[in-house]
Amino acid sequence: MEEFVVLINEKDEQIGLMEKQQAHVAGLLHRAFSVFVFNSKGEVLLQQRAHDKYHSPGLWTNTCCSHPRDGETYEQAAHRRLVEEMGFDCEIEPKFHFIYKAQLGEQLFEHELDHVFTGFYEGEIKINPEEVADYKWISMEDLIADINENPEKYTVWFRIIFDEYVAKLEYAGND
């Protein structure tokens, strides 16, 4: 099934739809979201992307991220993808949004208005193997250290979004 992203201007006004991979090749600005889910220990849930994804296969990234469909809110899309990728849903809270552009290999670009959400979850995780190869809980301290030591293990967009997350929310060990 073809997936389409919502193309927007910098004011988040919809200007069209485009097939997802085509939008990534063209580097056009589109809607996206990222979710960071935490547990009671303050650890964040990461996923390892499935090894047969068309870009960034096998790399670690935040709990889930994707694109709202036409007519779907950012929050509705985030709940949908939590279930589709990680097999659970939880309450989420919007934190901030920002625009970034990043190159993924030679011919792919992420150019997104990304809405970042956080949530809390302690239950069972049932990953979708078509989307996710593995998952892990990790402390913020260990994650910061590992990203600094091994940035190549993480998706380009996750490193950008994580830097924004730490800068905007001034990580204090309680989020």
Side-chain angles (χ1 to χ4, degrees):
M1 180 178 99
E2 271 193 326
E3 274 190 68
F4 290 83
V5 296
V6 178
L7 301 178
I8 56 171
N9 62 24
E10 290 191 359
K11 295 178 184 175
D12 198 12
E13 297 166 334
Q14 184 170 338
I15 58 173
L17 297 173
M18 184 176 278
E19 190 277 325
K20 181 173 73 172
Q21 189 168 351
Q22 205 177 11
H24 287 141
V25 170
L28 298 177
L29 182 62
H30 57 276
R31 291 180 177 155
F33 64 86
S34 299
V35 181
F36 291 81
V37 172
F38 293 86
N39 64 18
S40 60
K41 297 177 189 174
E43 297 169 321
V44 64
L45 178 60
L46 299 185
Q47 69 157 273
Q48 183 183 33
R49 288 172 57 82
H51 294 284
D52 58 356
K53 294 293 240 174
Y54 78 92
H55 70 78
S56 309
L59 297 182
W60 289 93
T61 198
N62 51 295
T63 310
C64 89
C65 50
S66 191
H67 309 94
R69 293 177 176 153
D70 188 27
E72 187 177 44
T73 69
Y74 289 96
E75 188 168 343
Q76 289 168 338
H79 284 292
R80 173 178 54 80
R81 289 305 286 173
L82 273 171
V83 172
E84 291 173 358
E85 293 182 20
M86 305 303 288
F88 71 86
D89 196 8
C90 63
E91 287 188 30
I92 57 174
E93 181 180 335
K95 291 296 183 179
F96 62 90
H97 61 274
F98 73 111
I99 293 175
Y100 74 94
K101 188 169 187 177
Q103 191 161 356
L104 311 173
E106 293 197 21
Q107 297 181 350
L108 294 175
F109 299 87
E110 287 286 11
H111 189 192
E112 299 182 332
L113 170 61
D114 192 43
H115 281 247
V116 178
F117 296 88
T118 61
F120 178 85
Y121 185 72
E122 295 264 304
E124 186 177 359
I125 298 167
K126 293 182 180 178
I127 59 172
N128 175 350
E130 292 179 13
E131 299 288 338
V132 180
D134 200 2
Y135 70 91
K136 65 181 173 184
W137 293 97
I138 187 170
S139 73
M140 292 293 283
E141 294 85 1
D142 289 346
L143 179 55
I144 290 167
D146 197 45
I147 289 172
N148 287 332
E149 292 172 26
N150 305 293
E152 72 285 351
K153 290 176 22 182
Y154 297 91
T155 63
V156 170
W157 65 87
F158 174 64
R159 296 191 317 254
I160 293 168
I161 295 162
F162 188 72
D163 284 348
E164 282 290 314
Y165 179 88
V166 171
K168 287 194 182 327
L169 300 179
E170 297 179 306
Y171 169 65
N174 60 3
D175 200 16

